[in-house]
């Protein structure tokens, strides 16, 4: 599933081809993805100029001069394709400008597209309970210490809770906990303030490195220009069970909360 770095990479890839451009045509090639497209999507977007692109958690945001924001989620395998030579069967939404054609491709159709008034975007249901952005100033050790106090669930599961931190996914939580030297099995309420002081910059370091690398190529994720992300080549623990850790131990895997966790029991305490 595309996580925060993949969505951020997507937004950065779309910005130079969409920002400031007028949408001349909108084509829906099926009625829905995970849920129906907004009925008036084409009417409200056609003729509008894109004013800005951004991201909230794992959602991409496209603002327009009509006072609307299109919110997209890439689901399990979604991606935007810029100026495709031909349309593919799973190109479900097409946006055209005078210079470019963009296709939202989603083979599994677990993604979504919504259109909301920009001024009320904070009230979008999926955003109401989200925690702070991990790359923003509100994620601090003090904040995590307050939110995790007395929690008996593992630190791994708590970091995946979007109400605690918005946008973190399984891959990057595994990598950040490794970088911070924290066992993913440790009860969240038992993680000391000193460890949290290491964890916050570790989260940012991992996410920024992944964004710089274009995200992680797992299954069929690719950037809008078609280039594959290569952060997976930098994984320290994720997907490396049975392989040696840099400390000399062996990376191990266990399942929790329906997800695989990868860690080194030697250097993560």
């Amino acid at each position: 599933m595309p996580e925060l770095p993949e969505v951020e990479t997507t937004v950065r890839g779309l910005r130079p081809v969409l920002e400031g451009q007028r949408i001349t045509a909108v084509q829906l090639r099926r009625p829905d993805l995970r849920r129906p497209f907004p009925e008036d999507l084409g009417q409200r977007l056609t003729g509008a100029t894109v004013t800005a692109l951004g991201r909230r958690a794992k959602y991409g945001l496209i603002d327009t001069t009509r006072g609307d924001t299109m919110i997209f989620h890439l689901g399990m395998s979604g991606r935007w394709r810029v100026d495709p030579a031909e349309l593919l069967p799973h190109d479900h939404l097409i946006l055209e400008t005078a210079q470019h054609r963009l296709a939202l491709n989603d083979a599994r159709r677990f993604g979504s597209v919504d259109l909301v008034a920009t001024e009320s975007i904070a009230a979008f249901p999926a955003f109401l309970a989200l925690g702070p952005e991990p790359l923003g100033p509100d994620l601090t050790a003090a904040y995590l210490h307050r939110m995790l106090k007395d929690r008996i669930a593992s630190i791994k599961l708590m970091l995946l809770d979007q109400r605690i931190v918005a946008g973190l996914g399984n891959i990057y939580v595994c990598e950040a906990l490794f970088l911070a030297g924290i066992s993913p099995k440790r009860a969240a309420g038992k993680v000391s303030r000193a460890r949290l002081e290491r964890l916050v910059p570790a989260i940012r370091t991992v996410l920024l490195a992944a964004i710089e690398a274009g995200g992680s190529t797992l299954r069929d994720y690719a950037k809008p220009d078609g280039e594959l992300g290569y952060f997976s080549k930098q994984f320290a623990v994720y997907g490396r069970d049975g392989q040696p850790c840099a400390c000399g131990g062996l990376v191990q895997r266990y399942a929790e909360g329906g997800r695989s966790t990868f860690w080194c029991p030697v250097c993560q305490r």
Side-chain angles (χ1 to χ4, degrees), residues 76-89:
M76 293 291 291
S77 59
R79 63 188 180 102
W80 284 95
R81 303 197 308 131
V82 176
D83 294 328
E86 61 179 350
L87 294 181
L88 300 177

Side-chain angles (χ1 to χ4, degrees), residues 249-260:
L250 287 179
V251 175
Q252 295 185 11
R253 171 193 173 278
Y254 67 91
E256 182 181 29
R259 299 179 177 91
S260 292

Side-chain angles (χ1 to χ4, degrees), residues 10-131:
T10 295
V11 168
R12 294 184 184 189
L14 292 176
R15 189 170 287 135
V17 299
L18 262 186
E19 196 167 66
Q21 299 299 309
R22 179 175 174 271
I23 299 173
T24 58
V26 177
Q27 179 184 0
L28 300 177
R29 302 180 74 210
R30 62 169 298 110
D32 57 9
L33 294 177
R34 175 160 44 98
R35 56 178 177 268
F37 286 112
E39 290 185 5
D40 54 354
L41 182 69
Q43 179 181 355
R44 290 166 66 181
L45 288 183
T46 302
T49 296
V50 175
T51 57
L53 289 94
R55 179 193 54 75
R56 177 66 168 121
K58 301 177 186 179
Y59 292 83
L61 311 175
I62 301 176
D63 297 339
T64 75
T65 50
R66 296 269 177 85
D68 294 322
T69 295
M70 190 176 89
I71 304 173
F72 66 86
H73 192 286
L74 297 175
M76 293 291 291
S77 59
R79 63 188 180 102
W80 284 95
R81 303 197 308 131
V82 176
D83 294 328
E86 61 179 350
L87 294 181
L88 300 177
H90 299 297
D91 290 335
H92 303 309
L93 169 63
I94 313 300
L95 301 181
E96 294 189 22
T97 70
Q99 288 81 26
H100 299 285
R101 179 167 67 171
L102 296 95
L104 179 58
N105 183 284
D106 189 353
R108 301 184 183 185
R109 302 203 308 274
F110 286 158
S112 62
V113 170
D114 293 278
L115 194 62
V116 303
T118 304
E119 63 181 7
S120 60
I121 196 169
F124 182 61
F127 294 173
L128 287 175
L130 287 178

Side-chain angles (χ1 to χ4, degrees), residues 141-217:
Y143 165 80
L144 285 179
H145 189 261
R146 182 173 68 254
M147 296 299 293
L148 300 178
K149 184 180 180 182
D150 300 326
R151 301 298 294 265
I152 61 174
S154 72
I155 183 65
K156 164 77 184 306
L157 288 183
M158 287 294 95
L159 290 177
L160 290 175
D161 188 334
Q162 301 297 290
R163 296 168 298 181
I164 304 296
V165 185
L168 287 185
N170 193 46
I171 294 173
Y172 301 106
V173 169
C174 287
E175 292 293 306
L177 287 172
F178 171 79
L179 185 60
I182 299 172
S183 168
K185 296 183 176 183
R186 182 177 288 271
K190 298 295 184 181
V191 178
S192 68
R193 178 68 176 267
R195 289 175 182 266
L196 294 175
E197 294 284 359
R198 298 201 305 267
L199 178 60
V200 170
I203 290 171
R204 294 195 175 114
T205 295
V206 167
L207 292 177
L208 290 173
I211 292 168
E212 180 67 24
S216 302
T217 301

